[in-house]
Amino acid sequence: MIKKVAAIHDLSGVGRCSLTVILPTLSVMGIEVCPVPTAILSTHTGGFGDVEMRDLTDYTIPALEHYKRLGIRFDCIYSGFLASTAQVDHCLEFLSTYGDALKVVDPVMADHGKPYKTCTPQLRHRMKDLAAAADVITPNLTEAAILLGEDPSYTPKTHADVKSMLARLSALGPDTVVITSVYTGDEAYNAGYDKNANKYWKVAYKPISAAYPGTGDVFASVLTGSLLSGDSLPIAMSRASDFLELAIMTTFSYNADVREGIMLERCLSHLTHDIVSGYELL
Ligand code: PXL
């Protein structure tokens, strides 16, 4: 059977992020995506000036009610960029309605030590409630610090610091935590924790000196698709890291406008093969 994911994210017209990358990524992995848009934006909020945005807060619950009337089943509820604090409650309603689904929360709020323009202090505060209700969370380092009530620019110095962050995030509720874009010593990696197995994982990647928007969304999508296909956490992390490394290397080689995100169209076919280059215990 084809797995079905309700993806509660925004739709940004230009800049390859959120639903425009989630849909093709999960589709090519053989998973059906049912988008539940939280907002429509002309571009993402990272560098295109005055964005045209429509908040769809009044849409989420009526859409859920319709799915309930139809008896639609979802194997996974996957939330990301939210436009209002009310949408935190709407996501919680989705999660409690589909209690058996895999609950993936990507707490999209910030990056590189700074919150995104639209992410208010209230929304940052409430995102913790959503993370607490998840099975899997995929914050980047800045979002991880925010969820833990630390300074958004906090950077861990050692593996022990990273493991402490992972354990404290898991203590909020989720059994599986993956922190992306961690840098300690001279190594860049994605770090994961599986509470049930009590194991910490590290998947290293080659860093590139350009920060493309939407990479967190692609990472969380590949991870979700992989977990839904039955992969273990280190394999899922490895597939997501390897794919991102390939997509970023490809995009960088063309000297493309960073704001436009990664050249997914050139790389998606790689997701049809198993690419697992390696993982280590953290
Ligand atoms: O990729 C994260 C993201 C998602 N959605 C919107 C964004 C961003 C990051 O800038 O602006 C609208």
Side-chain angles (χ1 to χ4, degrees), residues 9-12 14-19 21-22 38-41 43-47 51 53 80-82 106 108-111 116-118 140 143 212-218:
H9 286 258
D10 72 279
L11 182 65
S12 288
V14 167
R16 295 193 190 91
C17 71
S18 37
L19 285 173
V21 298
I22 291 161
T38 54
I40 299 179
L41 296 92
T43 66
H44 60 65
T45 62
V51 176
M53 175 168 169
F81 177 98
L82 305 181
D106 186 8
V108 176
M109 295 188 281
D111 206 357
Y116 298 134
K117 272 185 216 158
T118 54
N140 60 36
E143 290 157 348
Y212 296 98
T215 48
D217 305 330
V218 175

